[in-house]
Amino acid sequence: MRVVGDALEVIKRYPLCDHCLGSLFARLGRGLGNEARGAALRRSIIMELDRMFKEGEISKEEMEKILSNFDSDEMDELAEKMNLKLERRRCYVCGGRWEELVEEWARKVAEKLKEYEFDGFLVGCSDCGGMVERQREIISAFRLPYAETVKNSFKREVGKRVKEILGKEPDFEDPEIVAIMDLREGKVELQIKPVFVYGRYKKVVRNVSQSKWKYPYSVEEALERALKDFGGEEVILHGSGREDVDVRALGTGRPFVAEIRRPKRRRLPIEGREYFDGKVYFKFERYVSRDWVERIKTDEAKKEKVYLAIVYVPEGIEDEELKGLEEFFKDAVVSQRTPRRVLHRRADLVRERKVFWVKARRLNSKSFEALIKAQGGLYIKELVSGDGGRTEPSFSSFLGKEARCASLDVVWISEPS
Ligand SMILES: [Zn+2]
């Protein structure tokens, strides 16, 4: 009877409740539950001690001393029937508060979780208030290889109770919410999976930046308002590239993924939802997984974009020249050294990017508009101006005179692949 023998050695030294005694042998007799396991050991030990006493192996006092270490209500009744004097001692691991602790923390966790919409949850414990350390002391003193950590059983028991209270299923693989208990601090902290929504935005005015920055308004701020009914603590915009602050995004708009952090709601109908505040327009298409954040930021060079530029030519422009420009830039490869205006934040190197086509229309004697379809990553303002020879060929070098971009809009961006 090794198991009962070991349990007897433990109980001679440490007062324990049924749960904490059972947890020391948890991996034996699977399915019993620690409480039942502990009760079985306790009852076996009572009988064994009674035999030892009756056969004169121990004194009544010795038996009473050991039995006082069982922190169980059943012992009071037994003491009376066996005519023993017991001084019940509190469980060394949980202080005799196991059920109370499970109930108290399950209530705390459920209260916190109630505010959130979720399916699968998980309960964790960052600090079990000393229970883990006290149990570890016993396990190593007696070398008990079949023990289950008290942290594990506490998380499980609280999880089961939360399930009952909220009627929600735990999810051990990929929970939407993890409730982390800190018994020392008396706090529950929630780790909440963000929600990701794919959509496209249009910026119909200039001087709006993409992310919150030094400009008075940003696409990101507009996005926060557009998605405020998710009750998230933060909304992050992951754009498929970004336009300059003075560039509008029109046409079909720019693809993006909105990351809503710590959302209270996560199942709002989103498909086809639109939002427009006079400056920024959003169309939300669907929920996506986290990997879309990377996908949307994929290599600029793999994207294709269409721009609308208004080009100013101080020396004047003729229809004939525009025809020539269209022909010249059909499937043209442009070699572009990092523009001077972005050198402070980009490495100085030469990139080759393709222009697929240009469609130009004269507006007046000194300006024309150009629709330009190009590979992502080509700086269009410099494609027009030539940037002092750093972009070659350019509209300027082809025309043999100064040309500059008076305004620029993005009108189409390819879907992320
Ligand atoms: Zn206990």
Side-chain angles (χ1 to χ4, degrees):
M1 290 296 279
R2 265 274 307 284
V3 175
V4 178
D6 285 350
L8 175 58
E9 290 311 308
V10 172
I11 210 72
K12 277 183 187 167
R13 223 159 97 189
Y14 291 99
L16 291 169
C17 70
D18 284 351
H19 166 272
C20 295
L21 176 61
S23 76
L24 299 175
F25 304 91
R27 280 151 62 209
L28 301 172
R30 224 187 129 170
L32 278 178
N34 288 334
E35 198 86 38
R37 199 174 277 118
L41 288 169
R42 176 169 52 81
R43 288 167 189 152
S44 305
I45 290 169
I46 292 168
M47 289 190 285
E48 178 63 9
L49 289 174
D50 199 21
R51 178 197 67 78
M52 288 164 87
F53 166 61
K54 289 196 164 96
E55 296 180 9
E57 291 174 28
I58 52 170
S59 67
K60 192 172 182 190
E61 288 71 32
E62 278 172 305
M63 174 162 76
E64 283 171 337
K65 200 175 153 224
I66 299 169
L67 289 178
S68 291
N69 273 350
F70 284 122
D71 186 4
S72 159
D73 290 343
E74 217 178 79
M75 296 309 290
D76 300 337
E77 210 182 318
L78 203 76
E80 206 175 314
K81 287 184 180 156
M82 289 173 71
N83 195 23
L84 299 167
K85 264 216 282 300
L86 301 185
E87 284 173 58
R88 184 166 161 186
R89 300 170 67 198
R90 290 291 163 204
C91 175
Y92 180 70
V93 176
C94 72
R97 296 186 59 224
W98 184 257
E99 278 162 47
E100 204 181 309
L101 282 173
V102 168
E103 185 64 23
E104 175 191 331
W105 283 88
R107 296 258 159 224
K108 265 191 188 167
V109 168
E111 198 53 43
K112 264 251 153 121
L113 289 178
K114 246 197 256 167
E115 288 177 48
Y116 294 85
E117 190 173 60
F118 65 93
D119 272 343
F121 73 95
L122 195 60
V123 176
C125 191
S126 61
D127 192 317
C128 293
M131 286 199 288
V132 172
E133 294 75 8
R134 292 192 292 272
Q135 188 207 34
R136 195 179 296 141
E137 180 190 319
I138 301 174
I139 294 171
S140 60
F142 294 93
R143 293 168 208 261
L144 303 167
Y146 299 106
E148 176 193 28
T149 65
V150 68
K151 180 176 187 159
N152 214 44
S153 58
F154 191 61
K155 288 190 305 191
R156 188 184 54 242
E157 294 304 313
V158 171
K160 269 195 217 163
R161 189 69 189 106
V162 171
K163 178 185 159 174
E164 284 171 10
I165 298 170
L166 295 179
K168 301 262 192 183
E169 287 300 316
D171 181 340
F172 301 97
E173 300 291 318
D174 191 20
E176 285 180 338
I177 289 198
V178 182
I180 313 273
M181 305 175 285
D182 183 336
L183 272 64
R184 204 176 295 272
E185 295 287 324
K187 278 193 309 207
V188 175
E189 234 170 78
L190 299 182
Q191 289 172 356
I192 304 161
K193 261 174 89 176
V195 165
F196 299 92
V197 177
Y198 174 78
R200 286 174 170 267
Y201 76 80
K202 292 193 236 184
K203 203 173 93 184
V204 305
V205 297
R206 302 185 197 280
N207 297 317
V208 170
S209 56
Q210 191 186 61
S211 48
K212 283 185 212 165
W213 206 31
K214 57 188 173 189
Y215 287 86
Y217 198 51
S218 66
V219 178
E220 204 163 44
E221 280 169 86
L223 186 66
E224 239 166 48
R225 289 179 201 177
L227 296 175
K228 67 173 185 310
D229 48 346
F230 279 83
E233 282 174 23
E234 201 181 359
V235 179
I236 314 274
L237 176 90
H238 303 283
S240 173
R242 67 171 69 204
E243 59 283 329
D244 287 341
V245 171
D246 61 343
V247 172
R248 295 184 296 183
L250 303 173
T252 50
R254 184 180 292 277
F256 69 90
V257 171
E259 176 180 354
I260 305 155
R261 294 194 176 158
R262 299 181 70 84
K264 291 222 161 78
R265 311 282 312 274
R266 55 196 312 134
R267 317 239 184 278
L268 296 171
I270 198 76
E271 214 165 293
R273 200 163 125 183
E274 291 170 283
Y275 175 90
F276 183 53
D277 64 5
K279 290 174 179 160
V280 185
Y281 163 91
F282 295 104
K283 179 151 191 175
F284 301 101
E285 293 185 8
R286 61 187 181 278
Y287 289 105
V288 290
S289 50
R290 179 188 284 279
D291 59 304
W292 272 73
V293 173
E294 280 309 308
R295 257 165 103 174
I296 203 123
K297 287 181 173 170
T298 156
D299 198 357
E300 272 294 301
K302 285 184 187 148
K303 294 174 196 162
E304 294 177 6
K305 302 181 182 186
V306 177
Y307 297 89
L308 178 65
I310 307 291
V311 180
Y312 176 61
V313 187
E315 289 176 39
I317 187 82
E318 298 296 333
D319 282 332
E320 274 309 301
E321 292 174 295
L322 293 182
K323 204 162 281 169
L325 185 93
E326 287 183 352
E327 272 163 34
F328 182 81
F329 279 98
K330 180 130 190 59
D331 293 323
V333 174
V334 172
S335 149
Q336 186 165 63
R337 198 162 157 198
T338 307
R340 282 170 297 184
R341 68 182 166 93
V342 297
L343 264 182
H344 61 284
R345 57 187 166 92
R346 293 265 194 279
D348 189 9
L349 42 90
V350 178
R351 297 177 190 79
E352 296 213 323
R353 291 284 188 271
K354 210 167 166 187
V355 173
F356 299 103
W357 47 253
V358 174
K359 291 191 193 342
R361 188 170 69 95
R362 212 158 68 93
L363 296 171
N364 54 49
S365 62
K366 287 185 178 178
S367 59
F368 67 94
E369 65 174 15
L371 262 183
I372 303 156
K373 183 176 181 185
Q375 196 182 355
L378 180 68
Y379 293 94
I380 301 300
K381 288 173 184 169
E382 284 71 22
L383 170 71
V384 172
S385 72
D387 198 21
R390 294 168 73 93
T391 297
E392 185 59 34
S394 67
F395 287 11
S396 218
S397 71
F398 172 78
L399 296 168
K401 50 192 166 190
E402 187 193 349
R404 51 176 193 259
C405 197
S407 79
L408 185 65
D409 300 318
V410 191
V411 296
W412 179 83
I413 298 167
S414 57
E415 289 274 341
S417 49

